[in-house]
Amino acid sequence: MACFERASPSLKKILLKIYRAEKPLEIDHHLHEFGSVEYHIQSSVSDPHLAYLSISMPLLSQGDLLSYGISRYTAEMIKGISSDVVEIVEPAKAGYQLTLGLHFAKIPRNKDPVKIITDISAVQATILSSQLKEMLQKVNYDDTYQGMHKPIKLVYHPREPFYVIRQPQKIITVFPMRFKEYSDVIIATAFFQELMDVGISEKWAKAPPCCWSPIPPPELRGESFEDLSTNGGFVTFDIAPRHIKGKRLDKTAWNLLNFYAYVKYHVKCTKGFIQRRMRKRLDSLVEVLQKPNLEEDEHTKMVQGCRRSRKWVKLPKSKFLKRKCGEFIKKIKRIRFRLKIQGFLRFRQRWLKIPKFSSSMKYTKLN
């Protein structure tokens, strides 16, 4: 699922439209969603009290465990939404794995109809979660290989398979990680290492331990090379029996199904955060570079104002020439020549020397 919500927003909108309509609606709508999921919603004016919802979706595993379609456990989970409202139609319509008959008129008055329709819209999540729950609870113990159970390949999305391996004291789930861009690999690798460090802490001691490795774990020996060729390594979770007891089973199964989506969401948010920080840093640097230019402009304006005021002041020629020569000499002293010019010292002593001015009036010393 592209999002973390169990209910399909588009399917929920259509079902609420049928339920809230004052007059019966004629609807024959096909809806496609992420994960090769297809919904077919039908509502007829001739039968306004009954709507049909057909679902087509790939199974998690193509093995013998779930090759026959929807299991009894999954059917019980679907009926548990509301036994009066939801009815499983057998056989399902051609091209679909499951067809549900929805009796909106039978929704109990003491229950929230929006909540029931939201649960019906999450039927795909219910099917997937029930399939994974059944695998976590019941695995073929006779199917072993060198003292270990064979890994079960679960394909939720064609490019995102993961594996479930049953062992005597725990269940191992392995996620091969693949990314398109190299920057995503760097962010995800740092995230996996952080997960490992957090899992060691006492605060998260009850959470399933996480392990990341750039090479396949030994439990996946014998799998195809295409499934084991990754650029983001392998993430492994060790699920203990306490993680699948009672209500924890549903939460654990849902978190495993959405682990790929959660990693992609984290990578996307991290890249956005880095880009925002870079823009702020760039703006601050531009302000620093522009600030001296503004100060220079203000300084030049002040100097120009002083020059204009100096025009009104009359100074003697001797003082004026001394000041000009002094400023010129200071400018020359600031220049640092890398190459020594021969004869420049003589030129400076002869031509850049401050002239001495004598007064026109002479005084004689009296004895």
Side-chain angles (χ1 to χ4, degrees):
M1 297 174 188
C3 58
F4 299 109
E5 296 181 1
R6 301 196 180 195
S8 170
S10 302
L11 179 59
K12 179 181 177 180
K13 183 178 180 180
I14 296 173
L15 295 180
L16 285 174
K17 182 180 179 180
I18 297 173
Y19 172 74
R20 293 172 176 174
E22 297 179 357
K23 296 180 180 180
L25 299 176
E26 189 74 27
I27 293 178
D28 189 357
H29 190 77
H30 291 267
L31 183 63
H32 297 267
E33 286 191 350
F34 175 81
S36 302
V37 181
E38 180 183 356
Y39 299 102
H40 185 200
I41 306 100
Q42 291 177 313
S43 178
S44 178
V45 178
S46 59
D47 192 1
H49 301 290
L50 183 62
Y52 292 96
L53 173 61
S54 301
I55 306 166
S56 174
M57 53 181 293
L59 296 175
L60 283 178
S61 176
Q62 302 298 329
D64 297 331
L65 184 63
L66 294 175
S67 61
Y68 53 85
I70 303 300
S71 64
R72 293 181 180 179
Y73 181 78
T74 304
E76 292 176 358
M77 294 289 295
I78 295 172
K79 291 180 180 179
I81 297 173
S82 181
S83 57
D84 298 331
V85 180
V86 180
E87 176 189 358
I88 298 178
V89 179
E90 295 181 358
K93 293 187 178 182
Y96 297 91
Q97 298 167 343
L98 178 67
T99 300
L100 301 178
L102 307 177
H103 302 271
F104 292 123
K106 295 183 179 180
I107 295 178
R109 295 182 179 179
N110 57 350
K111 292 186 178 181
D112 186 9
V114 178
K115 184 179 182 303
I116 294 177
I117 292 176
T118 303
D119 295 339
I120 295 172
S121 304
V123 63
Q124 185 225 3
T126 304
I127 295 172
L128 290 175
S129 299
S130 61
Q131 290 179 2
L132 185 56
K133 289 176 190 177
E134 197 170 5
M135 291 181 186
L136 295 177
Q137 290 177 339
K138 300 176 183 180
V139 178
N140 191 358
Y141 288 91
D142 297 331
D143 190 11
T144 59
Y145 176 74
Q146 293 182 357
M148 298 172 57
H149 295 278
K150 279 187 177 181
I152 300 175
K153 181 181 177 182
L154 307 180
V155 183
Y156 174 63
H157 190 268
R159 299 179 181 178
E160 299 174 353
F162 64 100
Y163 297 87
V164 176
I165 305 106
R166 181 66 180 262
Q167 290 189 354
Q169 299 296 331
K170 61 182 178 180
I171 298 172
I172 300 176
T173 56
V174 183
F175 293 87
M177 307 305 300
R178 299 177 180 86
F179 301 95
K180 294 182 180 180
E181 299 181 4
Y182 182 69
S183 59
D184 297 350
V185 176
I186 297 174
I187 296 173
T189 302
F191 174 64
F192 298 148
Q193 293 175 352
E194 186 176 355
L195 277 180
M196 294 174 58
D197 297 338
V198 171
I200 300 174
S201 62
E202 297 180 358
K203 184 178 180 180
W204 303 99
K206 295 183 179 180
C210 175
C211 180
W212 175 82
S213 175
I215 60 175
E219 291 82 6
L220 296 184
R221 291 177 181 175
E223 297 297 324
S224 63
F225 178 76
E226 295 180 357
D227 295 337
L228 301 182
S229 58
T230 64
N231 59 353
F234 298 81
V235 181
T236 304
F237 290 98
D238 296 338
I239 301 175
R242 68 175 184 274
H243 298 134
I244 55 175
K245 283 186 179 180
K247 296 181 180 180
R248 295 179 181 177
L249 176 61
D250 181 67
K251 187 176 181 180
T252 301
W254 182 250
N255 291 337
L256 292 176
L257 288 173
N258 288 274
F259 179 72
Y260 278 116
Y262 179 75
V263 173
K264 290 181 179 179
Y265 176 77
H266 174 78
V267 171
K268 185 176 181 180
C269 292
T270 304
K271 292 176 71 175
F273 174 76
I274 294 173
Q275 290 174 359
R276 289 194 299 271
R277 296 280 295 184
M278 290 175 66
R279 291 192 190 100
K280 289 183 180 179
R281 183 61 177 168
L282 179 61
D283 294 339
S284 63
L285 291 175
V286 170
E287 290 179 359
V288 172
L289 293 175
Q290 291 178 350
K291 191 173 181 180
N293 295 332
L294 296 174
E295 292 179 353
E296 288 180 1
D297 294 339
E298 293 178 357
H299 182 67
T300 52
K301 290 179 180 178
M302 293 175 64
V303 171
Q304 289 176 0
C306 294
R307 287 177 180 174
R308 289 176 183 175
S309 62
R310 285 176 183 173
K311 291 181 181 179
W312 298 97
V313 180
K314 293 183 179 181
L315 297 175
K317 292 183 178 181
S318 59
K319 293 183 179 180
F320 181 76
L321 291 174
K322 285 182 180 180
R323 183 177 296 178
K324 287 294 183 181
C325 293
E327 292 178 358
F328 183 68
I329 291 170
K330 287 180 181 180
K331 290 182 181 180
I332 292 176
K333 287 182 179 180
R334 290 175 186 174
I335 301 173
R336 298 179 180 178
F337 293 95
R338 295 184 181 180
L339 299 176
K340 189 175 181 181
I341 302 175
Q342 295 181 359
F344 183 75
L345 182 60
R346 295 179 182 177
F347 174 81
R348 177 181 171 185
Q349 292 176 353
R350 183 175 181 181
W351 298 102
L352 300 181
K353 190 174 181 180
I354 300 173
K356 295 182 180 180
F357 298 94
S358 60
S359 177
S360 60
M361 299 176 64
K362 296 184 179 179
Y363 299 93
T364 56
K365 187 176 180 182
L366 300 176
N367 293 328

